[in-house]
Amino acid sequence: MRVVERNAEHVVVVGAGLAGLSAAMHLAGRGRAVTVVERASVPGGRMGRLDVDGYRIDTGPTVLTMPDLIDDVFSAVGERTADRLDLMPVAPAYRAHYADGRTLDVHSDRDTMLRSVAEFAGPGQANGYRRLRDWLTRLYHVEFDRFIATNFDSPLSMLTPDLARLTALGGFRGWDRRIAEFITDPDLRRIFTFQSLYAGVAPDKALAIYAVIAYMDTMAGVYFPRGGMRALPDALAAAAEAAGVRFRYDTTVTSLVREGSSVRAVHTDHDERIDCDAVVLTTERHRAYALLGHRSRRPFPVRAAPSAVVLHVGCDRGSLDLPHHSLLFGAAWESTFREIIGDGRVMSDPSLLVTRPTASDPTLAPEGRELLYILAPAPNLERGEIDWPNFAAEYAERILATIRQRLGTAALADPEILRVVTPADWAAQDMLAGSPFALAHTLSQTGPFRPANMIRGIDNAVLAGGSTVPGVGIPPVLISGRLAADRVTGPVRTDPTSPIRPYSRSEPR
């Protein structure tokens, strides 16, 4: 595996999002001196925050899975998640609402979900779910360590016995068709395929290897940090600082100092130079390339994932009966993906994710009020030509009308729209094509074909975040930070008998 050639004693990490925090903590745990430079005044990156009139709003991702990956980051600096963060299980993980009025509670627990499926679609579908659960578990165990949580230097790196196992499991067949071999009820099947939209591909076009996202969503458990999603980066940053990581907030890296094929320092907007032996860039891919003076050699341009419109809404607590996460499915399905991805139009029959963080932590809203986060998938700016500044208010009202129609007026009693975020707003934050989901997970942007985290001709710069390997979402982004650290120090095994292990601060290097 390619690694930084010289011993990197001091590493500058650009960006204090989850990828940057993960990289910093893994590097600090291996005895490196680390400085994190962050343009915002707080950590979090895309896991942003906004406080409005007593509402504590999370502006980024709202679905948190795979807490063991968070454990790995804390343990890198000798800490425990429970000492820094109160992670509360979310049950049900989701409640699905269908256009015909039916509902289905999605549970991570096997037996509870079997009963839920049987009540919704009958014992035959419950048997199919049992077999699907077994297949997803095997897919996860074959895929995770060898393909998701691994650095690749070339496509040839994939040629291992595990590739044959993954192929035998049907990982390179269609996601929707593979799920249909277990679940024939089309409404039930949506629960295990809707995640493909976040991967940037319609279910009938996506590879079954990405069904591992359904494993994370529906089987590994969904959690929520007390205090909101912002509590996660706050806790990671506090642990990193305790481990000796230095943070420079409200500071933007404006350029890199290159000597031949190596980066020797970063310049900031405070007219300062920070010397380094290596740099980890967690900025958007195009911004990282601009800082490095690198031009992509890919034979075709990268493709951004679809975008989203997000409404942050306050409403009266009243008789609101919504769990933490709700999926509101429209009657249309295949046409929805075609409209967003192919036609560049908003959904004519929307399917929505409605998150109610106050179901788990009422302190996130003023007394007697609720906070809702409503996400409507939308075309990115490459696909669509929508005048978002002028269309945003109208579309927000359409979305609220859809929710009232499907859930009743009690679901939105005395609503106030606190903020509407559109693809134009994401673009203003420097996100490619106005998409918060970075690059689509097409075959040409998967595994070793995804933009790499090291660039030929540059010896000591490493990339991390959603635009590089392994991909988009909280679990992959946390992994990307560890993969970046592995590129700097070489991979570390946790077995104490292994000759490769983390450095302690007291031992010589």
Side-chain angles (χ1 to χ4, degrees):
M1 185 188 83
R2 184 184 173 196
V3 297
V4 171
E5 293 182 0
R6 58 177 288 172
N7 189 25
E9 296 291 335
H10 178 222
V11 183
V12 170
V13 177
V14 181
L18 295 187
L21 293 168
S22 173
M25 293 171 71
H26 281 287
L27 288 165
R30 301 175 193 183
R32 272 41 176 186
V34 182
T35 301
V36 178
V37 183
E38 169 56 50
R39 66 182 179 180
S41 59
V42 292
R46 294 193 187 197
M47 191 170 277
R49 62 193 75 184
L50 175 69
D51 295 335
V52 178
D53 298 334
Y55 293 94
R56 301 177 64 202
I57 300 169
D58 292 317
T59 61
T62 63
V63 180
L64 179 60
T65 65
M66 305 295 289
D68 55 313
L69 294 176
I70 299 172
D71 295 341
D72 290 343
V73 180
F74 279 110
S75 67
V77 292
E79 294 218 23
R80 298 189 318 144
T81 302
D83 293 335
R84 294 280 184 181
L85 193 65
D86 183 6
L87 282 181
M88 301 178 286
V90 173
Y94 297 95
R95 176 172 295 157
H97 295 256
Y98 293 89
D100 61 5
R102 293 181 303 156
T103 63
L104 170 66
D105 280 358
V106 179
H107 296 276
S108 304
D109 177 74
R110 173 183 177 275
D111 292 339
T112 306
M113 185 59 179
L114 279 169
R115 288 193 295 270
S116 186
V117 171
E119 292 171 4
F120 179 81
Q125 297 301 300
N127 287 333
Y129 168 73
R130 184 184 289 106
R131 293 186 295 108
L132 172 62
R133 190 179 179 96
D134 176 68
W135 176 75
L136 286 172
T137 302
R138 287 184 289 132
L139 182 72
Y140 169 78
H141 286 298
V142 168
E143 188 176 340
F144 189 82
D145 287 336
R146 296 291 182 260
F147 296 98
I148 297 176
T150 298
N151 277 311
F152 292 102
D153 288 329
S154 77
L156 295 177
S157 304
M158 287 185 64
L159 299 179
T160 68
D162 291 298
L163 180 63
R165 297 187 187 99
L166 189 58
T167 302
L169 283 171
F172 296 99
R173 295 163 60 188
W175 182 343
D176 189 62
R177 290 190 300 276
R178 192 71 178 100
I179 299 297
E181 294 176 14
F182 304 99
I183 302 290
T184 58
D185 184 295
D187 287 340
L188 180 59
R189 199 158 63 238
R190 292 188 194 186
I191 298 298
F192 307 100
T193 59
F194 80 89
Q195 300 89 350
S196 71
L197 187 59
Y198 305 133
V201 186
D204 62 347
K205 299 289 194 301
L207 294 176
I209 54 174
Y210 288 114
V212 73
I213 308 174
Y215 171 91
M216 298 176 185
D217 259 17
T218 66
M219 292 172 54
V222 175
Y223 295 81
F224 186 71
R226 191 177 303 279
M229 296 294 282
R230 69 180 69 183
L232 173 56
D234 284 349
L236 291 172
E241 195 165 11
V245 175
R246 291 169 290 179
F247 285 86
R248 300 294 306 277
Y249 293 110
D250 296 307
T251 303
T252 299
V253 171
T254 55
S255 63
L256 305 178
V257 178
R258 289 271 300 273
E259 290 181 8
S261 60
S262 295
V263 176
R264 295 294 179 224
V266 304
H267 279 150
T268 76
D269 58 351
H270 296 306
D271 294 325
E272 64 182 330
R273 170 185 169 128
I274 304 175
D275 293 327
C276 61
D277 302 308
V279 62
V280 176
L281 300 171
T282 71
T283 60
E284 298 294 318
R285 171 181 173 271
H286 59 277
R287 189 61 52 212
Y289 281 15
L291 286 170
L292 292 167
H294 174 73
R295 179 173 295 180
S296 174
R297 298 185 178 130
R298 291 175 71 90
F300 38 81
V302 293
R303 174 180 154 189
S307 186
V309 173
V310 173
L311 277 63
H312 301 290
V313 178
C315 64
D316 186 69
R317 181 157 297 169
S319 59
L320 184 65
D321 181 25
L322 285 178
H324 195 106
H325 295 297
S326 296
L327 297 165
L328 275 59
F329 290 121
W333 190 237
E334 289 82 2
S335 61
T336 294
F337 293 93
R338 183 172 61 252
E339 288 170 340
I340 296 170
I341 299 173
D343 301 339
R345 296 187 286 118
V346 297
M347 298 173 287
S348 57
D349 185 11
S351 288
L352 308 169
L353 169 66
V354 179
T355 294
R356 178 192 168 204
T358 41
S360 297
D361 188 347
T363 67
L364 301 178
E367 184 70 26
R369 301 289 288 176
E370 296 280 1
L371 178 60
L372 301 179
Y373 171 110
I374 304 165
L375 184 148
N380 63 39
L381 298 183
E382 288 177 347
R383 295 285 174 177
E385 296 182 359
I386 298 168
D387 182 2
W388 284 111
N390 290 316
F391 182 57
E394 175 188 339
Y395 191 53
E397 290 299 335
R398 281 197 211 171
I399 292 172
L400 294 184
T402 298
I403 293 175
R404 291 189 188 97
Q405 178 185 12
R406 296 181 186 173
L407 298 180
T409 56
L412 285 173
D414 189 22
E416 55 179 328
I417 298 178
L418 305 169
R419 182 64 60 91
V420 179
V421 186
T422 73
D425 297 310
W426 303 122
Q429 297 178 46
D430 205 26
M431 298 181 192
L432 180 67
S435 173
F437 303 116
L439 304 184
H441 285 269
T442 59
L443 177 59
S444 62
Q445 294 177 171
T446 293
F449 304 109
R450 197 167 180 83
N453 59 3
M454 287 197 80
I455 296 171
R456 291 177 184 172
I458 304 177
D459 294 335
N460 66 339
V462 187
L463 308 186
S467 295
T468 184
V469 292
V472 179
I474 293 175
V477 165
L478 289 172
I479 293 168
S480 80
R482 196 265 295 165
L483 295 180
D486 288 350
R487 291 290 194 185
V488 175
T489 69
V492 169
R493 291 190 289 271
T494 56
D495 181 354
T497 65
S498 167
I500 303 176
R501 58 188 177 90
Y503 290 111
S504 72
R505 293 189 169 274
S506 60
E507 67 182 0
R509 286 173 289 186

